[in-house]
């Protein structure tokens, strides 16, 4: 099983992904932000023109290669990324032979901004708002969860329950 968690910054992707991975035997987590950070010069955020979008697509493609390798080694995979419809197509195409689902975590914008500030204002409010808009425009996902007031453990338990059949078929 490959589960792709998408959502705006501070949606809970890392927290929920970690909770899931700790409950699933033989599970790897791929944080696409870490893959993108491997590009040192020029490291360009996705909202900064053609180069930023090219690096966004490259991150998705590299995540797929890693997911395929983990899957061949009989690992389940949780991918953490901020998808657009374009990068969702990359995942769908490159992972089409494997069981995969895209789950969008979409708390309210106010919740995402508050969480971003609480974790040390990693991104500016304007950047969070832009990436939030990308998530509201996303159309290619299998499930969407408003986790504004849901505890991360509850969201993880729900996703685990809905993925139980896929987890046991690896």
């Amino acid at each position: 099983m490959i589960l792709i968690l998408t959502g705006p910054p501070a949606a809970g992707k890392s927290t929920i992904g970690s909770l899931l991975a700790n409950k699933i035997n033989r599970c790897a987590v791929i944080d696409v932000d870490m893959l993108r950070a491997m590009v040192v010069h020029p490291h360009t955020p996705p909202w900064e023109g053609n180069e930023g979008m090219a690096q966004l697509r490259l991150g998705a493609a590299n995540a797929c290669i890693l997911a395929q390798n983990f899957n061949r080694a009989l690992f389940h995979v949780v991918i953490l990324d901020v998808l657009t419809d374009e990068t969702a197509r990359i995942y769908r195409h490159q992972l089409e032979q494997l069981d995969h689902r895209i789950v969008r975590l979409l708390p309210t914008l106010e919740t995402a901004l508050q969480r971003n500030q609480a974790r040390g204002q990693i991104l500016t409010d304007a950047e969070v708002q832009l990436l939030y808009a990308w998530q509201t425009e996303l159309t290619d996902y299998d499930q969407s969860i408003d986790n504004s007031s849901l505890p991360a453990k509850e969201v993880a338990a729900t996703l685990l329950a809905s993925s139980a059949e896929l987890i046991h078929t690896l």
Side-chain angles (χ1 to χ4, degrees):
M1 175 213 52
I2 299 172
L3 181 64
I4 304 157
L5 295 180
T6 185
K13 297 180 297 291
S14 297
T15 302
I16 293 166
S18 178
L19 288 167
L20 282 169
N22 281 300
K23 295 287 186 187
I24 301 170
N25 189 37
R26 296 185 60 81
C27 187
V29 175
I30 300 170
D31 185 337
V32 181
D33 282 346
M34 293 176 73
L35 298 179
R36 287 192 196 100
M38 295 173 89
V39 176
V40 177
H41 187 71
H43 179 74
T44 308
W47 53 85
E48 288 189 11
N50 292 335
E51 180 62 27
M53 291 308 290
Q55 289 182 27
L56 185 75
R57 291 187 297 272
L58 180 61
N62 285 336
C64 289
I65 292 167
L66 279 173
Q68 291 165 350
N69 286 338
F70 279 120
N71 187 265
R72 277 192 291 276
L74 302 179
F75 278 84
H76 298 286
V77 180
V78 178
I79 298 173
L80 315 175
D81 197 1
V82 178
L83 272 63
T84 63
D85 280 329
E86 183 179 11
T87 56
R89 282 191 297 276
I90 292 169
Y91 284 108
R92 296 287 194 197
H93 176 71
Q94 289 194 21
L95 302 175
E96 68 185 347
Q97 300 299 318
L98 304 173
D99 286 325
H100 67 280
R101 286 188 331 153
I102 297 174
V103 175
R104 179 179 71 171
L105 302 173
L106 193 62
T108 65
L109 174 58
E110 294 75 24
T111 300
L113 288 166
Q114 289 169 356
R115 289 177 183 172
N116 183 59
Q117 290 170 0
R119 66 182 189 177
Q121 190 89 26
I122 294 172
L123 297 174
T124 68
D125 285 351
E127 292 165 344
V128 172
Q129 290 168 347
L130 172 67
L131 295 173
Y132 189 91
W134 286 10
Q135 291 304 287
T136 62
E137 295 166 4
L138 182 67
T139 61
D140 188 359
Y141 55 85
D142 300 301
Q143 181 179 5
S144 185
I145 300 172
D146 177 350
N147 62 331
S148 301
S149 59
L150 296 174
K153 286 184 180 182
E154 185 177 323
V155 175
T158 299
L159 291 173
L160 193 59
S162 66
S163 302
E165 185 177 317
L166 293 176
I167 291 168
H168 295 294
T169 60
L170 184 65

